Amino acid sequence: MKNSKDISSMNQEGLKSYLESNVIKSAIKLKGKFPPFSELIDKSQKTLSIKHIYNLKEQFKNIFLIIVKNYSNQPKVRYFLAIILASQSSDFLVSLAKDYATRNNLKLIQYSLFPKKRINLLSLKEIQTIEDYSSSIELLKDFNKKFRKTLEKIKNLVENE
């Protein structure tokens, strides 16, 4: 019988293989050095350094695959799908997106995907299995649609005042 570490390792290898053969080969690798981002684990900040970022624009608009080095040994790398919610982030936009992100186990970060450009508002979803890939893409696309509708409603309210 296989223990959970063996199964996790098999899932990681399967996901890596799937991403390399089906996703990365048709994606555009972003050039340059990227600053790490961090996550809060047990009340302490853990840094995730960026290994590679790929633009999936051939398949999905404004969606990126981010590969990071894990701060712990297992797994060695982690995979995140990210969607640009706003090309210029602000505290107001973060507060609009926070509720949906929390309910759907998504992370929000303010991060510049394109160095020397504006800080984007990104929503991240970690993928750990091949099955996570498709469902995460749909979740992120749905989030983007709902976020855009909310912004449109606010715009219409302001214009009608």
Side-chain angles (χ1 to χ4, degrees):
M1 188 166 143
K2 296 183 182 200
N3 66 27
S4 63
K5 245 185 187 178
D6 292 337
I7 292 170
S8 175
S9 178
M10 286 174 24
N11 282 341
Q12 274 296 112
E13 285 304 311
L15 178 61
K16 179 182 178 185
S17 174
Y18 174 80
L19 291 174
E20 286 175 353
S21 62
N22 297 315
V23 178
I24 293 174
K25 74 177 187 180
S26 63
I28 299 166
K29 184 177 178 183
L30 299 184
K31 305 263 190 239
K33 289 201 173 239
F34 298 95
F37 59 88
S38 62
E39 64 182 355
L40 194 60
I41 302 292
D42 297 327
K43 297 184 180 180
S44 94
Q45 292 285 341
K46 301 291 185 180
T47 301
L48 299 168
S49 55
I50 305 294
K51 204 169 171 190
H52 304 291
I53 299 178
Y54 295 93
N55 187 343
L56 306 181
K57 78 176 190 179
E58 293 296 317
Q59 301 139 325
F60 308 106
K61 184 179 179 185
N62 291 330
I63 296 184
F64 297 82
L65 174 66
I66 301 174
I67 303 172
V68 300
K69 292 180 187 174
N70 200 359
Y71 49 85
S72 65
N73 289 336
Q74 294 299 330
K76 290 184 180 184
V77 295
R78 292 169 60 190
Y79 302 95
F80 290 90
L81 286 172
I83 192 163
I84 297 175
L85 295 175
S87 60
Q88 186 168 354
S89 186
S90 71
D91 291 343
F92 174 68
L93 294 176
V94 171
S95 68
L96 286 177
K98 196 174 210 171
D99 184 50
Y100 186 89
T102 303
R103 283 187 283 127
N104 290 284
N105 202 21
L106 298 169
K107 297 177 186 205
L108 292 174
I109 64 169
Q110 295 174 312
Y111 191 82
S112 180
L113 287 170
F114 305 101
K116 300 178 184 170
K117 300 261 178 157
R118 297 178 176 146
I119 303 281
N120 307 118
L121 176 59
L122 302 177
S123 178
L124 297 174
K125 177 71 175 165
E126 184 171 5
I127 53 175
Q128 297 173 335
T129 65
I130 296 169
E131 294 78 25
D132 287 347
Y133 180 77
S134 299
S135 61
S136 297
I137 291 281
E138 291 308 313
L139 179 64
L140 290 170
K141 286 166 59 177
D142 187 48
F143 185 17
N144 194 33
K145 284 179 191 170
K146 288 181 180 183
F147 186 73
R148 295 279 168 214
K149 281 184 183 177
T150 301
L151 289 177
E152 192 65 34
K153 285 178 188 176
I154 292 169
K155 179 184 164 218
N156 291 337
L157 283 172
V158 170
E159 286 177 349
N160 292 335
E161 284 279 322

